Amino acid sequence: MKAIIKAIAEAIGKSIGFILPPVLIKQVNAFGVHIYTGYHARHFKHWGNGSVLGYPMERTHRLDLVSVGDHCEIDKRTVLTIFPQMDTQPEIKIGNGCHIGAYAHLTAICGITIGNNLLTGTNIIITDNAHGATNTLKDLQVAPQERALLSKGKVTIGNNVWLANNVCVLPGVSIGDGTIVGANSCVTHDLPAYCIAAGCPAKIIKRIKQENS
């Protein structure tokens, strides 16, 4: 039955392709994205003007603790999850003008704060937590999915930061304004403003001098 439905749907799509120009198909798709955005926006703590949510979201939890600024784009297949611990009320705060690429994963138990104009590639991870302690053999004999979430602290990302494809930002990290992190890097320690970092763990490879005011 699924094969028949798929064949019919593809036949309809091909027929439409002969009738409607590509530009109109793009407009129809954009219209659908805005419908999807409007439906989900009410679940967020704050949803900014002109912001767009890509279809579909991969997984969400406690969007009522997520704030998104104005004119942001959160691309498809993004994971946005918050897991409050005890009486805590962590938040994910995303500033204005941010673009978060497809297949991103943002998860918090303490908090993630992102400034304005963040640009990311695809498959980035920003997390303030990990699955349980790893200090003893007993810790590691517990299935990872059954371990309590632990955090080394909140994650803070400044304004005008660029995170390239597959960057991983780990708990307790702060990234300064204007910093660029190269593809496939893992940020395990704080990075200052106006530098370029890359590697696993990420290390500073260039500092941009600030002009005297």
Side-chain angles (χ1 to χ4, degrees):
M1 179 60 72
K2 290 183 178 180
I4 294 174
I5 293 174
K6 180 180 179 181
I8 293 173
E10 289 180 355
I12 292 172
K14 290 178 180 179
S15 299
I16 292 174
F18 286 111
I19 301 171
L20 300 179
V23 64
L24 186 56
I25 294 297
K26 289 183 179 180
Q27 291 175 349
V28 170
N29 182 62
F31 184 71
V33 167
H34 285 292
I35 292 175
Y36 186 76
T37 297
Y39 176 81
H40 285 281
R42 63 188 179 89
H43 298 294
F44 286 76
K45 181 175 183 179
H46 173 77
W47 187 260
N49 295 325
S51 292
V52 178
L53 190 62
Y55 172 84
M57 293 287 284
E58 183 68 22
R59 187 169 71 255
T60 64
H61 187 259
R62 294 301 303 269
L63 290 180
D64 59 304
L65 299 175
V66 179
S67 298
V68 177
D70 298 336
H71 307 293
C72 292
E73 183 177 1
I74 299 177
D75 213 335
K76 64 183 179 180
R77 298 293 183 185
T78 294
V79 173
L80 275 175
T81 57
I82 296 181
F83 300 100
Q85 307 293 297
M86 302 296 288
D87 296 327
T88 64
Q89 284 292 308
E91 292 187 62
I92 294 177
K93 299 179 180 179
I94 300 172
N96 301 321
C98 296
H99 175 91
I100 297 176
Y103 299 93
H105 188 155
L106 282 70
T107 181
I109 65 172
C110 286
I112 295 171
T113 300
I114 296 171
N116 298 327
N117 306 314
L118 171 70
L119 173 64
T120 86
T122 59
N123 300 305
I124 64 111
I125 297 175
I126 303 174
T127 178
D128 74 352
N129 62 88
H131 277 278
T134 57
N135 299 318
T136 67
L137 179 61
K138 185 177 179 180
D139 293 332
L140 300 180
Q141 289 174 335
V142 178
Q145 63 268 29
E146 296 177 5
R147 300 172 194 166
L149 296 176
L150 298 178
S151 177
K152 292 182 179 179
K154 298 180 179 180
V155 172
T156 303
I157 297 175
N159 300 318
N160 306 314
V161 170
W162 176 16
L163 305 178
N165 286 5
N166 305 311
V167 166
C168 181
V169 180
L170 295 185
V173 164
S174 177
I175 299 177
D177 293 347
T179 287
I180 298 171
V181 182
N184 303 309
S185 298
C186 185
V187 185
T188 60
H189 296 87
D190 291 353
L191 293 176
Y194 308 112
C195 73
I196 300 173
C200 188
K203 296 182 179 180
I204 298 171
I205 59 177
K206 184 177 182 180
R207 293 178 184 266
I208 308 302
K209 294 182 179 180
Q210 300 183 51
E211 296 180 1
N212 295 327
S213 56

